[in-house]
Amino acid sequence: MDNPRRDIHNSEIPVVCRSCEARHGGVCGAMNAQQLAELSKYTTRKKLASGAELQGQGEKIAAYANILKGVVKLTKMLADGRQQIVGLQFAPDFLGRPFSTESSLTAEAATESEICSMPKAVLDRLVAGSPELEHRLHNQALAELDEARDWMLTLGRKTAQEKVASFLYMIATHFDPENLDETSFDLPLSRADIADFLGLTIETVSRQMTKLRGDGVIQVENNRHVTVPDMDRLAEVAGMDV
Amino acid sequence: MDNPRRDIHNSEIPVVCRSCEARHGGVCGAMNAQQLAELSKYTTRKKLASGAELQGQGEKIAAYANILKGVVKLTKMLADGRQQIVGLQFAPDFLGRPFSTESSLTAEAATESEICSMPKAVLDRLVAGSPELEHRLHNQALAELDEARDWMLTLGRKTAQEKVASFLYMIATHFDPENLDETSFDLPLSRADIADFLGLTIETVSRQMTKLRGDGVIQVENNRHVTVPDMDRLAEVAGMDV
DNA sequence: TGCGTGAATTGATTGAGATCAAAGTTCGGC
DNA sequence: GCCGAACTTTGATCTCAATCAATTCACGCA
């Protein structure tokens, strides 16, 4: 966001979406009070169980959503069932593909989640009348593109060990961007999901986790809780590009 | 582009960038005469030899460009030299990452190319004052994101055979989107570049090309010229998702 | 507290693609 | 038209991750 004219809309205006009661969540952060009031008339708040499908590959797109809580995975599937996770979205991301009528991917809750759902037509209308809103969406699309391209390097050129370390590094920095020292967190994905994210099998993910544990790069409790004593060490194993 | 208000700017207004003399090329397609006149004061047309670097990974971003002719590859590299192509841009795409000051990737001409280069600051200023322009860039970003995610499925889950077939299919449809029958074209990438695009080695790409030739899926002349007798057949081998 | 089920780990073996090595092609420059 | 360098193909072998196959573990529930 290099443009000062736009940045006033990202500063601390105390706006709240009536439905989600979230401040500056997802797309709402770029809205004024009037736009929020209009949007609020149509939004619905939903709790999602882990695994709940929000949008199917090939289906019509009827709604967008703000993610209030939890993690949503975006997946693509081949005819024979092979699957790849092509994106992870965390609260308070905006979820949806503007300017398209049909979804090219499946969106599914990876953890228990909460979303604020809004009809596509309503937001499309607001976006059409608000350059600030489109700017916000544009910025998110660019950020997602950067992430996707980073991940392409991981998928195409890293070893299994580096892939798993890269995944852990990504999750750790997402939940705790500042901390370059010891960090600990709950994995939002099962081993099967991690495998689908990394283009590996469950067994290989498991073996690499075991190896990282044996090498002292991570500690693991109850399968899901991970502690990283030294982020630099993890980054090194992940083969982070200089 | 679902929004009719915006679409008037994508219709046939006879605007031409003075420097590149291209009609509706890249970002110019969403500009009015005044904006074009302003931009034209600062644009420079450049011929690029194959392999010429436009932007380095980690460098400051000083310029954007419209691609007038040729193909530009976007690559990322690991510290030890492993490389991955994370995007291919064809004329008349716009080249550049708005709202960022440092490049996370290298942009390099894959073939002999021509570009219309413009200083970052000039276009940023125009974009700040023109929602239509931002809309155009937003749409391109979303299209690139869709492509990147398609490619992640290929990188993570397809076999070498399917990867090479997918690549050929992508190139064929790019140069000739309508034709679902026989098509022929020159490959814009060397075997080494194809390998970097697919996360494979040169040798594996070569072997798979040989196999596709043997199976009658493609014909190859002079290494670079490919004929596809039956696009459906190629799509099938590529394991295109249903 | 034990039971059952799905998730994760561990082990043995296989196989697709990488690596190492050596021709064979293509094409620009003289 | 010939030469040389870069690109491409082909061959032999190796290796990392996939596959096949048991266990083991975690956790909700009776």
Side-chain angles (χ1 to χ4, degrees):
Chain A
M1 289 186 239
D2 287 356
N3 178 358
R5 185 177 69 77
R6 296 275 166 73
D7 278 350
I8 52 168
H9 295 275
N10 298 328
S11 60
E12 291 301 316
I13 302 165
V15 286
V16 177
C17 169
R18 297 265 166 70
S19 294
C20 60
E21 288 156 28
R23 241 180 100 168
H24 286 249
V27 78
C28 298
M31 288 190 185
N32 60 34
Q34 189 196 334
Q35 291 168 326
L36 269 179
E38 170 68 10
L39 183 67
S40 293
K41 284 193 261 176
Y42 302 98
T43 54
T44 52
R45 189 172 175 146
K46 289 179 190 166
K47 278 185 200 261
L48 300 173
S50 172
E53 187 176 303
L54 276 158
Q55 174 80 55
Q57 190 171 351
E59 284 177 7
K60 279 238 158 185
I61 301 175
Y64 301 124
N66 284 325
I67 303 175
L68 306 178
K69 196 153 96 42
V71 178
V72 173
K73 59 181 177 178
L74 309 178
T75 65
K76 280 181 171 264
M77 198 152 78
L78 292 170
D80 62 4
R82 281 175 290 174
Q83 204 173 20
Q84 176 69 42
I85 294 183
V86 298
L88 278 185
Q89 313 232 243
F90 300 81
D93 287 351
F94 170 77
L95 188 66
R97 174 33 170 114
F99 317 126
S100 176
T101 54
E102 192 183 301
S103 180
S104 66
L105 45 78
T106 298
E108 199 178 321
T111 64
E112 276 202 359
S113 304
E114 275 178 52
I115 62 164
C116 177
S117 180
M118 60 199 80
K120 177 174 164 46
V122 174
L123 186 65
D124 282 347
R125 184 156 39 79
L126 285 170
V127 170
S130 167
E132 286 76 17
L133 209 43
E134 174 145 28
H135 182 67
R136 161 76 57 127
L137 294 177
H138 186 188
N139 257 315
Q140 177 165 331
L142 288 167
E144 286 178 29
L145 184 57
D146 288 345
E147 278 167 35
R149 285 176 168 161
D150 271 345
W151 214 251
M152 289 171 83
L153 176 61
T154 300
L155 285 172
R157 291 301 184 195
K158 288 191 184 175
T159 64
Q161 175 88 184
E162 291 168 332
K163 284 181 176 181
V164 172
S166 298
F167 171 74
L168 295 172
Y169 189 89
M170 190 218 65
I171 298 294
T173 49
H174 203 286
F175 286 138
D176 193 355
E178 308 303 320
N179 203 337
L180 295 175
D181 232 38
E182 172 159 328
T183 320
S184 95
F185 52 90
D186 281 325
L187 287 175
L189 299 187
S190 67
R191 297 292 185 274
D193 280 343
I194 297 173
D196 280 347
F197 195 67
L198 295 170
L200 298 171
T201 59
I202 295 176
E203 295 94 324
T204 297
V205 171
S206 178
R207 273 184 251 272
Q208 297 304 333
M209 294 280 287
T210 303
K211 178 142 199 307
L212 289 173
R213 194 147 41 79
D215 294 349
V217 179
I218 57 170
Q219 287 133 38
V220 182
E221 289 160 74
N222 299 338
N223 290 336
R224 285 289 184 122
H225 193 79
V226 174
T227 302
V228 181
D230 179 357
M231 285 293 284
D232 282 346
R233 180 87 188 286
L234 184 60
E236 200 182 313
V237 178
M240 304 305 301
D241 48 324
V242 184
Chain B
M1 289 187 237
D2 287 355
N3 177 358
R5 184 178 69 77
R6 296 277 166 73
D7 277 351
I8 51 167
H9 296 277
N10 299 328
S11 60
E12 291 302 316
I13 302 165
V15 286
V16 175
C17 168
R18 298 264 166 72
S19 292
C20 59
E21 287 155 29
R23 243 180 97 167
H24 287 248
V27 79
C28 298
M31 289 190 185
N32 60 34
Q34 190 195 334
Q35 291 167 327
L36 269 179
E38 171 67 11
L39 183 67
S40 293
K41 284 192 261 176
Y42 302 99
T43 53
T44 52
R45 189 171 176 147
K46 289 179 191 165
K47 279 186 198 258
L48 299 172
S50 173
E53 187 176 304
L54 274 159
Q55 174 80 54
Q57 191 171 349
E59 285 176 7
K60 278 239 159 183
I61 301 175
Y64 301 125
N66 284 325
I67 304 174
L68 306 179
K69 196 153 99 39
V71 178
V72 173
K73 59 182 177 178
L74 309 178
T75 65
K76 280 183 170 263
M77 197 151 79
L78 293 170
D80 62 4
R82 280 175 290 173
Q83 204 173 22
Q84 177 69 42
I85 294 182
V86 298
L88 277 185
Q89 314 233 240
F90 299 81
D93 288 350
F94 170 77
L95 187 66
R97 175 31 170 114
F99 316 127
S100 176
T101 53
E102 193 182 302
S103 179
S104 66
L105 46 77
T106 298
E108 198 178 322
T111 64
E112 276 203 359
S113 304
E114 274 178 52
I115 62 165
C116 176
S117 181
M118 61 199 81
K120 177 174 163 46
V122 174
L123 186 65
D124 283 347
R125 184 156 40 79
L126 285 171
V127 170
S130 168
E132 286 77 16
L133 209 43
E134 174 144 28
H135 181 66
R136 160 77 56 126
L137 293 178
H138 187 189
N139 257 314
Q140 175 164 331
L142 288 167
E144 286 178 29
L145 183 57
D146 288 345
E147 278 167 35
R149 284 177 168 160
D150 270 345
W151 214 252
M152 289 171 82
L153 176 62
T154 300
L155 284 173
R157 290 302 185 196
K158 288 191 183 174
T159 64
Q161 176 87 184
E162 291 169 333
K163 284 181 177 181
V164 172
S166 297
F167 171 74
L168 294 172
Y169 188 88
M170 191 218 64
I171 297 293
T173 49
H174 203 287
F175 287 137
D176 193 355
E178 308 302 319
N179 203 337
L180 297 174
D181 232 38
E182 171 159 328
T183 320
S184 95
F185 52 89
D186 280 326
L187 287 175
L189 300 186
S190 68
R191 297 292 185 274
D193 281 342
I194 297 173
D196 280 347
F197 195 67
L198 295 170
L200 299 171
T201 59
I202 295 178
E203 293 94 326
T204 297
V205 171
S206 178
R207 275 184 249 272
Q208 296 305 333
M209 294 280 287
T210 303
K211 177 144 197 310
L212 289 173
R213 196 148 37 83
D215 293 349
V217 179
I218 57 170
Q219 288 134 36
V220 182
E221 288 159 75
N222 298 339
N223 291 334
R224 284 290 184 119
H225 193 80
V226 174
T227 302
V228 182
D230 179 357
M231 285 294 285
D232 284 344
R233 179 87 189 285
L234 183 60
E236 200 183 312
V237 177
M240 305 303 303
D241 47 325
V242 184

